[in-house]
Amino acid sequence: MAEQEPQQSVPLALPLPWQESLWQTFISRLDQNRLPHAMMLTGATGIGVERIAAALAQRLLCTAELSKYACGSCKGCQLIMAGNHPDLSTLEPAEEGKAILIDQVRDLMARLSKTAQQGGWKVALISPAETMNINASNALLKSLEEPQGKTLLILLSYRPSLVSATIRSRCQVQSLPLPDQAQASRWLAEVSGDAQLAEQTLDIAGGRPLLALDYMQGDSLQQRQAFEGTVEQVRRGDLSPVDAAQQCHRQNSDQLLDWFMNYLHRLATGELQNSPNPALFDFSDKLRTARSWVLSGSNINPQLLWEELFMDWLQVFRRRGG
Ligand SMILES: [Zn+2]
């Protein structure tokens, strides 16, 4: 292989079928010169928030006129596809699970304060916005207060409540709902080529089609089933909380907690629908709290976290005598 890593080539992004009407809104705002200086796109992971954000950024930098999507052949598009458009900046944590830091925001602001090199828009994608720590948020606030012409900041957030309220108030917030199930199912069947599995997997993925596609293409569906197996073994008393924690503590806690919450939801709306268990709701609060600890980057011992959770999980059923 070459010694120097080549620039990664970037495919042009098209909005997903369930984003079509939002896309029309964006394009008409662009055509009427009514785009804000900063917008925040919010929604669940796995529904394509980042897809429509990328499509919009690319459309702004495309120099072809009257094109609904980025054209793919102009200079702007060529630069995007080569992964080095000088007027497109992306701000994200240096490492997964880490925060976006103030220096990164300052670098971005320095870039945005210069004239656009290609003479058009300057666009910055900040993702996920909730990972900006407090200093980074404050630094960004400055640039939101002094907007410049033809500059768009697109903040993406999967947990907008964790983004500072002042930042949110400076952005045009657009929340993306879960896609219509039939539409999502059709899309997934088409992309995966397996209509039957598509429907099942979409259900497991809580209606989030890109997550479902991940499951179908990777081994995470198996991992998830293995995790749910562990959860059920603890519930039946076939596996001790300590042993269960041993199986989980090296995995991505955020991911496992997400699966656990989804599992609870299915349990509460399925198997336990007619015998509601109040302890289940308390437990679901505990999962949420655990998840906010994990997301806040606190220094938690995952083995202890999982031991405690599995002990509580066991109690949910013990309290009822089985
Ligand atoms: Zn173009």
Side-chain angles (χ1 to χ4, degrees):
M1 296 298 283
E3 288 113 17
Q4 253 191 339
E5 222 176 287
Q7 285 284 356
Q8 224 185 336
S9 79
V10 179
L12 285 181
L14 286 176
L16 290 153
W18 51 91
Q19 299 172 332
E20 196 52 39
S21 76
L22 180 58
W23 183 253
Q24 286 296 349
T25 312
F26 286 162
I27 294 307
S28 55
R29 280 185 200 152
L30 172 64
D31 290 345
Q32 298 162 21
N33 222 355
R34 286 195 302 120
L35 277 182
H37 293 289
M39 60 166 77
M40 184 185 293
L41 304 178
T42 70
T45 54
I47 63 166
V49 177
E50 50 296 307
R51 175 76 82 92
I52 194 164
L56 180 60
Q58 295 173 357
R59 174 64 191 85
L60 291 180
L61 297 168
C62 167
T63 56
E65 279 179 39
L66 301 172
S67 171
K68 188 176 171 189
Y69 310 109
C71 75
S73 50
C74 71
K75 175 95 186 288
C77 287
Q78 304 269 318
L79 287 168
I80 291 167
M81 291 189 291
N84 56 5
H85 197 299
D87 300 319
L88 175 63
S89 312
T90 304
L91 197 57
E92 50 194 17
E95 259 179 76
E96 208 185 314
K98 295 278 195 265
I100 293 179
L101 305 172
I102 185 167
D103 288 342
Q104 294 175 271
V105 174
R106 284 188 179 139
D107 285 349
L108 173 71
M109 285 164 64
R111 278 200 301 279
L112 292 179
S113 68
K114 292 180 190 140
T115 314
Q117 294 192 38
Q118 293 297 312
W121 281 83
K122 285 175 288 179
V123 186
L125 293 164
I126 303 179
S127 176
E130 60 269 26
T131 61
M132 280 187 288
N133 68 17
I134 220 152
N135 294 334
S137 288
N138 287 339
L140 182 73
L141 208 50
K142 265 203 197 152
S143 87
L144 293 179
E145 279 161 355
E146 298 158 12
Q148 303 175 37
K150 278 210 151 184
T151 300
L152 179 64
L153 293 177
I154 308 175
L155 286 74
L156 282 70
S157 179
Y158 306 102
R159 284 162 206 286
S161 63
L162 299 179
V163 178
S164 102
T166 341
I167 297 261
R168 269 183 285 153
S169 71
R170 297 278 194 280
C171 298
Q172 191 175 80
V173 178
Q174 184 75 56
S175 55
L176 282 69
L178 277 186
D180 168 74
Q181 207 199 332
Q183 202 173 27
S185 184
R186 238 184 351 260
W187 174 84
L188 189 58
E190 206 170 291
V191 176
S192 69
D194 187 337
Q196 205 179 357
L197 190 61
E199 196 149 336
Q200 284 171 13
T201 316
L202 187 62
D203 192 37
I204 297 174
R208 297 178 283 166
L210 275 68
L211 179 64
L213 186 62
D214 260 7
Y215 287 165
M216 290 176 83
Q217 289 175 339
D219 52 4
S220 57
L221 186 59
Q222 280 162 350
Q223 279 174 25
R224 181 176 179 144
Q225 282 164 341
F227 175 70
E228 289 189 356
T230 303
V231 166
E232 276 164 14
Q233 279 180 299
V234 174
R235 176 183 164 191
R236 289 195 305 264
D238 293 343
L239 185 68
S240 79
V242 175
D243 289 340
Q246 192 68 40
Q247 292 180 11
C248 297
H249 78 286
R250 284 189 204 287
Q251 300 182 51
N252 176 340
S253 294
D254 181 29
Q255 177 69 85
L256 296 189
L257 288 165
D258 187 46
W259 290 345
F260 211 153
M261 285 194 265
N262 188 270
Y263 171 86
L264 279 197
H265 177 73
R266 275 182 288 136
L267 199 62
T269 54
E271 196 183 324
L272 300 181
Q273 196 178 14
N274 298 319
S275 56
N277 180 346
L280 212 56
F281 293 100
D282 294 342
F283 183 71
S284 146
D285 283 341
K286 283 184 184 142
L287 289 182
R288 251 187 288 277
T289 309
R291 190 145 188 229
S292 59
W293 284 340
V294 169
L295 289 171
S296 72
S298 314
N299 217 349
I300 315 167
N301 177 330
Q303 173 74 22
L304 293 182
L305 173 80
W306 283 105
E307 278 180 23
E308 202 170 305
L309 284 173
F310 280 127
M311 264 183 285
D312 288 341
W313 173 235
L314 188 60
Q315 288 310 314
V316 169
F317 299 95
R318 285 295 170 273
R319 261 183 260 164
R320 293 163 62 86

